Amino acid sequence: MTSPQLNEHALRTAALAGLIGAWWFNYDQWNPEALRALLADDVSFSCSSDSGTTDYEDFIRADLHGLEEVMAWQSDHRTNSPYPLRHNGSCLHITGGDDEVVEFSSYIFVTKIVDGRPLSLSSGTANGAARITDAGMRLTRLGIVLDTSDSVPLVQSTHRLAGQST
């Protein structure tokens, strides 16, 4: 990468980290006005477990399109979830995009407080896209898949190894 390309990549990465950090913080604290400002009007949001068979699948499953539909689900889901709740995004990185859109992936780790101590609630992956606008980045797509299947050696899992043909 040349210096201008490297600078552009660094700026996009920083803006994306700010966007995703603001998303999780404002979701956990339930600040709907701030969340709404982070979303594009044509946003899509999905959420499910990796197994699709949890006891709480109805509570987490979503396949939503448009700002109003996404915000209505977020409101219902968040107000029926524990507080305090902490979503921690990590390993955020850009996976693709063009001049107008940045695609990304990250892990999430979710905790709640029990007996005065953080307790693991969930983990998973977040994949999405953000549109670059004059007002900053806006989420256009966010897909969450929560880890619910027991861990097994990678060679025994259904996950396809990088470089492995199908």
Side-chain angles (χ1 to χ4, degrees):
M1 261 187 236
T2 65
S3 186
Q5 289 172 321
L6 183 58
N7 288 341
E8 178 67 23
H9 183 76
L11 290 171
R12 284 181 176 212
T13 301
L16 181 61
L19 174 66
I20 300 305
W23 172 262
W24 290 127
F25 183 87
N26 286 295
Y27 176 78
D28 290 346
Q29 295 303 112
W30 191 241
N31 185 348
E33 296 81 20
L35 284 176
R36 181 178 290 276
L38 300 173
L39 298 175
D41 289 341
D42 60 344
V43 65
S44 63
F45 176 83
S46 63
C47 184
S48 65
S49 71
D50 61 354
S51 68
T53 61
T54 67
D55 292 341
Y56 50 90
E57 203 73 27
D58 288 343
F59 181 65
I60 63 169
R61 182 167 298 284
D63 186 11
L64 309 164
H65 304 279
L67 181 61
E68 297 307 321
E69 190 175 318
V70 169
M71 285 302 298
W73 186 89
Q74 295 293 341
S75 177
D76 181 62
H77 187 78
R78 181 63 191 104
T79 57
N80 287 292
S81 296
Y83 183 87
L85 183 70
R86 304 290 183 248
H87 286 75
N88 300 281
S90 64
C91 299
L92 176 66
H93 62 284
I94 294 173
T95 59
D98 56 31
D99 290 341
E100 296 179 11
V101 174
V102 176
E103 296 171 338
F104 65 89
S105 293
S106 74
Y107 293 129
I108 60 169
F109 184 67
V110 186
T111 62
K112 65 179 183 176
I113 303 299
V114 175
D115 295 326
R117 296 186 181 107
L119 178 71
S120 299
L121 186 60
S122 190
S123 64
T125 58
N127 295 286
R131 182 176 301 123
I132 301 165
T133 72
D134 290 338
M137 284 191 181
R138 298 293 180 259
L139 281 171
T140 58
R141 178 174 45 86
L142 183 58
I144 306 296
V145 178
L146 299 175
D147 301 324
T148 59
S149 299
D150 288 342
S151 294
V152 297
L154 184 59
V155 298
Q156 294 175 12
S157 77
T158 58
H159 179 81
R160 192 171 71 84
L161 299 171
Q164 184 181 48
S165 60
T166 55

